[in-house]
Amino acid sequence: GEDVEQSLFLSVREGDSSVINCTYTDSSSTYLYWYKQEPGAGLQLLTYIFSNMDMKQDQRLTVLLNKKDKHLSLRIADTQTGDSAIYFCAESWGNNRLAFGKGNQVVVIP
Amino acid sequence: DARVTQTPRHKVTEMGQEVTMRCQPILGHNTVFWYRQTMMQGLELLAYFRNRAPLDDSGMPKDRFSAEMPDATLATLKIQPSEPRDSAVYFCASGGLAGAGGTTGELFFGEGSRLTVL
C-alpha cells in the first residue's frame, strides 16, 4: 500500500489557528482527504481536495496541497473545543482504496 | 439519514472463541472496506469488496480471519480462533467509486466494533 506520514500530537489554545501536516507517496492520487475522528466514533470526512488544486477553503478549514513535495496541510482557524479529535489524512490509490496516515491528535485547551 | 451500521459495538471474549462482526453498508454503495485500528499500527486495511466481490484481503491474517458479503446489505468479518493480539477497533466503511455519478471516492465509516480478547 501507499505510505502516508503524519505527526502525532498537537495542542492549541481555543481561538488560535491549528495546522496539521501530512506527506503522501502516490503522485497519481486523484483526491486527498482529511477525516476527523471524535472519541468512540468512526471517521468522518471533513474535507477533500482534488489533485489539480493547490488550495481549498471551506469555512474555518483551509487545505493546502504541494504536489511537488507531496505535502498536504489542514489549517483550522479559530479552533474550538469541538475540534478536539484525531485528524487523518488519506490519499486515494489503486482500485479506489484509501491509504490513511496514523492520525494527529489535536487537543484544544480552553 | 443514511449511515453504515456495525454490530456489535463492543465485544469481550476469551482467547480461542469465534468472533463475528457485521456491517450494513449504505444502500447503493458498491464498495465495502474493513479496517482495524490500534494505537500502534493506526488504521490498517484488512479487506475490500467491490460489488460484493472480494478484491483485496492481503491485509488480513488468512489463517484466522475471513470476510464475506453474503448479500449487498451485509458484510461480515469473522475471526476464528481469536487471540489477544486481535484486540482492536474494527471499522467497516462503504463508498461509491470515484468519478461514478460525481462521487469523490470518499468513504463513510461505521461507529466501529471494539473487540477485546482476554
Side-chain angles (χ1 to χ4, degrees):
Chain A
E2 302 305 310
D3 195 22
V4 179
E5 299 278 340
Q6 288 183 253
S7 53
L8 294 179
F9 184 82
L10 173 71
S11 69
V12 60
R13 291 206 174 274
E14 192 174 11
D16 288 350
S17 294
S18 45
V19 179
I20 309 164
N21 296 298
C22 166
T23 57
Y24 61 96
T25 55
D26 189 350
S27 58
S28 65
S29 294
T30 306
Y31 294 95
L32 294 127
Y33 310 83
W34 282 103
Y35 279 79
K36 177 183 181 183
Q37 184 183 29
E38 296 182 1
L43 281 70
Q44 282 190 299
L45 181 69
L46 256 190
T47 188
Y48 66 92
I49 188 166
F50 193 49
S51 59
N52 69 353
M53 297 169 65
D54 297 323
M55 186 183 88
K56 179 178 179 181
Q57 183 121 19
D58 186 357
Q59 298 181 349
R60 293 188 298 117
L61 306 177
T62 304
V63 179
L64 295 178
L65 175 60
N66 180 331
K67 289 183 285 292
K68 174 175 166 292
D69 296 335
K70 297 196 185 79
H71 183 263
L72 183 73
S73 69
L74 173 70
R75 178 177 180 270
I76 306 174
D78 186 25
T79 310
Q80 298 164 10
T81 54
D83 295 326
S84 292
I86 302 176
Y87 292 81
F88 293 89
C89 68
E91 60 171 336
S92 57
W93 63 289
N95 284 322
N96 301 103
R97 285 167 285 192
L98 295 189
F100 288 87
K102 283 194 161 46
N104 188 312
Q105 172 118 38
V106 173
V107 174
V108 180
I109 303 164
Chain B
D1 60 327
R3 55 181 173 168
V4 175
T5 304
Q6 288 186 248
T7 57
R9 290 294 316 276
H10 302 274
K11 175 75 174 179
V12 179
T13 191
E14 290 186 343
M15 183 172 64
Q17 296 298 306
E18 178 180 300
V19 174
T20 299
M21 289 167 276
R22 292 177 174 81
C23 167
Q24 180 175 2
I26 292 174
L27 189 64
H29 282 182
N30 61 351
T31 58
V32 173
F33 299 77
W34 283 103
Y35 285 91
R36 175 170 63 185
Q37 185 179 34
T38 60
M39 288 289 291
M40 294 300 294
Q41 300 296 329
L43 273 169
E44 299 173 276
L45 177 64
L46 297 176
Y48 163 44
F49 292 80
R50 187 197 298 168
N51 297 324
R52 293 178 55 205
L55 285 195
D56 183 4
D57 60 2
S58 58
M60 212 162 61
K62 299 289 189 305
D63 55 338
R64 300 182 299 108
F65 284 59
S66 61
E68 295 179 347
M69 276 202 76
D71 61 61
T73 64
L74 177 64
T76 63
L77 179 67
K78 189 177 294 186
I79 309 173
Q80 167 63 20
S82 58
E83 297 180 3
R85 60 181 166 147
D86 301 329
S87 298
V89 182
Y90 291 81
F91 286 104
C92 174
S94 70
L97 291 176
T103 64
T104 59
E106 70 178 278
L107 295 184
F108 294 79
F109 282 76
E111 300 270 281
S113 294
R114 180 175 293 276
L115 173 65
T116 302
V117 183
L118 303 174

